[in-house]
Amino acid sequence: MALNDAAKAVGAVGAAMRDHVLLPAQEMAKLGKAAQPVLTHAEGIYVYAEDGRRLIDGPAGMWCAQVGYGRREIVDAMAHQAMVLPYASPWYMASSPAARLAQKIATLTPGDLNRIFFTTGGSTAVDSALRFSEFYNNVLGRPQKKRIIVRYDGYHGSTALTAACTGRTGNWPNFDIEQDRISFLSSPNPRHAGNRSQEAFLDDLVQEFEDRIESLGPDTIAAFLAEPILASGGVIIPPKGYHARFKAICEKHDILYISDEVVTGFGRCGEWFASEKVFGVVPDIITFAKGVTSGYVPLGGLAISEAVLARISGENARGSWFTNGYTYSNQPVACAAALANIELMEREGIVDQAREMADHFAAALASLRDLPGVAETRSVGLVGCVQCLLDPTRADGTAEDKAFTLKIDERCFELGLIVRPLGDLCVISPPLIISRAQIDDMVAIMRQAITEVGAAHGLTAKE
Ligand code: PMP
């Protein structure tokens, strides 16, 4: 096919998407009217648009492309598995990839989180963890212990139950969300400390949790569900010591601590899992997805503590059956992709590399703080953001700040960098294979975009 014909064929892709696909985030006024940029292929940290432009994939897809694109090892493993055994019923058949993957993940999780349940992605992983907490308390003979405690600004997925746990209140009006059993605590956003020190802010957050347990009654609360970093809620890094103090309270009241590591797992924070090594807690359950396959194919899961399971299995099973039946639990091709992905990450030391690159990443983002319009930069490992506020003293962005930030993101795109727009944040969570020079390239583009858009808004250089 001549190059022109190829370009026209790709143009048809954009039209077909626009005309026939309902997107997971669709502005309904534009349904059928606006086309998305079309990507044709990808290599390493770069994706290519249909006009041939190369873009740095700043958000690693949706925080998931850990090892980057075009990794033959993963593709070969998937092709081989699809040929020899593409499917095995999880009801009554074991398959080698699922068994080996579970065994492998158990070596990467903290503590005794050695039993893995596989799902089809992050939402179904968190949904399954919450359903497990219901099942657990039913088997233990405490059917009233069912409430779930979450935080404002948290995000946990798009099933009915996980959407009900979403603390991004802007999502609520769109659907009828049953939240009778869900209780929201304050966002642990350090910018909300106001005049308080971070220590005093943390004390208040802890007190709020204790008061909530007291008022609802510990016998009614099944689980505390928390992301180590509130990712989609705004890359919010709670005050130091937050997780350990919340875990201690959970232990006191026999409340399951579920750590949602869908974003932070598989190296994103410079460790295989962030809960223990970065934030000092061994949860009862960890949920994961995204980076487990580097996005090559959908897969998620949860790792459950043996001690927790011991209370409801064997002689403590009381005749129960755990029934949370997914046709695609243990999907062999997905599990083979994950195994190849993890082997690749180990062989190339990609998690260590992410940990070692974290300081450079943080410093590169921080170098933007001299620009007017940049209120703050923050990161853990290789997940970070630049908060863009026309008035940097504001704790949270206004509609005007969000429009300003969106313009910066659009300018970055024109200049060759994809940035995830998230309200007043430019979010960057690149593939973990990114080099120092590539981080510098990203930040140089951001500098140009922020400078130009800032100037267009009449912002002058900081003193
Ligand atoms: N939990 C967290 C922390 C997430 O960020 C996400 C998705 N961004 C999910 C769960 C849901 O995962 P998925 O989109 O794979 O269903």
Side-chain angles (χ1 to χ4, degrees):
M1 193 189 287
L3 195 62
N4 277 349
D5 292 341
K8 269 190 224 135
V10 175
V13 173
M17 288 284 286
R18 184 197 58 212
D19 296 344
H20 298 291
V21 175
L22 179 61
L23 302 171
Q26 173 74 58
E27 187 177 354
M28 293 307 279
K30 294 188 182 155
L31 184 67
K33 296 193 177 112
Q36 295 177 303
V38 174
L39 299 182
T40 53
H41 59 289
E43 187 69 38
I45 68 157
Y46 300 102
V47 295
Y48 291 81
E50 65 178 328
D51 58 7
R53 272 186 329 127
R54 190 179 81 163
L55 297 149
I56 301 174
D57 187 3
M62 290 282 282
W63 344 73
C64 58
Q66 319 299 68
V67 301
Y69 302 105
R71 305 306 298 252
R72 171 109 341 251
E73 299 89 328
I74 301 177
V75 177
D76 285 348
M78 286 167 61
H80 173 76
Q81 191 57 47
M83 195 65 226
V84 298
L85 181 70
Y87 183 79
S89 164
W91 266 255
Y92 27 73
M93 308 285 177
S95 81
S96 165
R100 288 192 293 129
L101 180 61
Q103 193 174 40
K104 180 73 213 175
I105 291 175
T107 67
L108 305 175
T109 49
D112 70 345
L113 277 70
N114 294 332
R115 176 95 27 201
I116 316 295
F117 179 81
F118 288 114
T119 69
T120 54
S123 302
T124 47
V126 181
D127 198 283
S128 298
L130 296 174
R131 295 197 72 212
F132 176 84
S133 79
E134 294 168 356
F135 171 74
Y136 175 71
N137 284 304
N138 284 339
V139 179
L140 287 174
R142 10 187 237 200
Q144 78 294 349
K145 198 167 165 66
K146 293 289 168 55
R147 288 188 209 274
I148 301 156
I149 311 266
V150 291
R151 289 92 46 84
Y152 286 108
D153 288 336
Y155 180 78
H156 300 286
S158 289
T159 64
L161 184 53
T162 57
C165 292
T166 286
R168 298 177 59 188
T169 51
N171 293 14
W172 291 357
N174 300 326
F175 295 96
D176 298 326
I177 292 181
E178 289 294 335
Q179 287 175 321
D180 295 351
R181 286 196 291 124
I182 320 291
S183 185
F184 287 86
L185 298 175
S186 298
S187 168
N189 185 343
R191 286 180 76 83
H192 294 174
N195 299 330
R196 292 166 290 179
S197 67
Q198 287 300 309
E199 291 74 21
F201 178 50
L202 175 56
D203 287 344
D204 288 349
L205 293 169
V206 169
Q207 191 60 51
E208 183 190 31
F209 188 31
E210 283 180 330
D211 291 348
R212 189 68 55 85
I213 293 171
E214 174 77 35
S215 69
L216 295 173
D219 295 346
T220 72
I221 302 168
F224 172 64
L225 169 64
E227 299 158 85
I229 297 172
L230 294 83
S232 304
V235 192
I236 293 165
I237 306 160
K240 208 167 173 2
Y242 173 93
H243 297 285
R245 287 182 67 183
F246 273 61
K247 174 69 166 66
I249 295 169
C250 287
E251 274 171 25
K252 192 163 119 199
H253 297 291
D254 201 5
I255 294 169
L256 291 174
Y257 185 110
I258 304 174
S259 184
D260 182 355
E261 292 230 34
V262 165
V263 168
T264 55
F266 292 92
R268 176 58 53 202
C269 293
E271 300 288 347
W272 285 99
F273 290 99
S275 298
E276 184 189 26
K277 297 253 173 74
V278 184
F279 294 103
V281 289
V282 177
D284 296 305
I285 297 177
I286 287 180
T287 55
F288 60 85
K290 298 185 188 276
V292 66
T293 61
S294 284
Y296 277 71
V297 68
L299 181 70
L302 44 147
I304 311 173
S305 146
E306 284 178 357
V308 165
L309 284 163
R311 291 177 71 181
I312 55 161
S313 58
E315 60 192 24
N316 298 323
R318 299 170 185 85
S320 61
W321 276 77
F322 179 65
T323 47
N324 190 47
Y326 294 125
T327 299
Y328 296 116
S329 262
N330 304 348
Q331 212 291 334
V333 178
C335 292
L339 272 171
N341 177 55
I342 294 170
E343 273 164 30
L344 180 61
M345 289 175 86
E346 285 186 327
R347 193 167 59 249
E348 296 187 0
I350 288 174
V351 177
D352 294 340
Q353 188 184 320
R355 186 169 55 247
E356 284 153 20
M357 204 59 82
D359 285 348
H360 183 71
F361 181 61
L365 291 179
S367 73
L368 298 170
R369 288 187 196 157
D370 65 332
L371 295 175
V374 172
E376 186 175 303
T377 62
R378 50 184 185 263
S379 64
V380 175
L382 290 183
V383 50
C385 67
V386 179
Q387 187 163 26
C388 299
L389 301 174
L390 292 160
D391 172 0
T393 60
R394 288 198 265 261
D396 291 310
T398 59
E400 214 189 347
D401 293 315
K402 290 174 190 171
F404 169 59
T405 309
L406 193 58
K407 286 210 180 90
I408 294 169
D409 294 332
E410 285 167 358
R411 185 68 189 126
C412 285
F413 190 85
E414 285 165 9
L415 294 168
L417 169 67
I418 302 176
V419 165
R420 168 139 190 224
L422 203 60
D424 57 4
L425 304 179
C426 300
V427 175
I428 299 282
S429 55
L432 305 184
I433 51 160
I434 195 163
S435 69
R436 278 171 174 266
Q438 289 168 330
I439 288 176
D440 296 344
D441 289 347
M442 277 196 312
V443 171
I445 292 176
M446 294 182 85
R447 170 168 286 279
Q448 185 181 337
I450 297 168
T451 306
E452 288 176 8
V453 177
H457 278 73
L459 295 180
T460 49
K462 281 183 184 168
E463 295 295 299

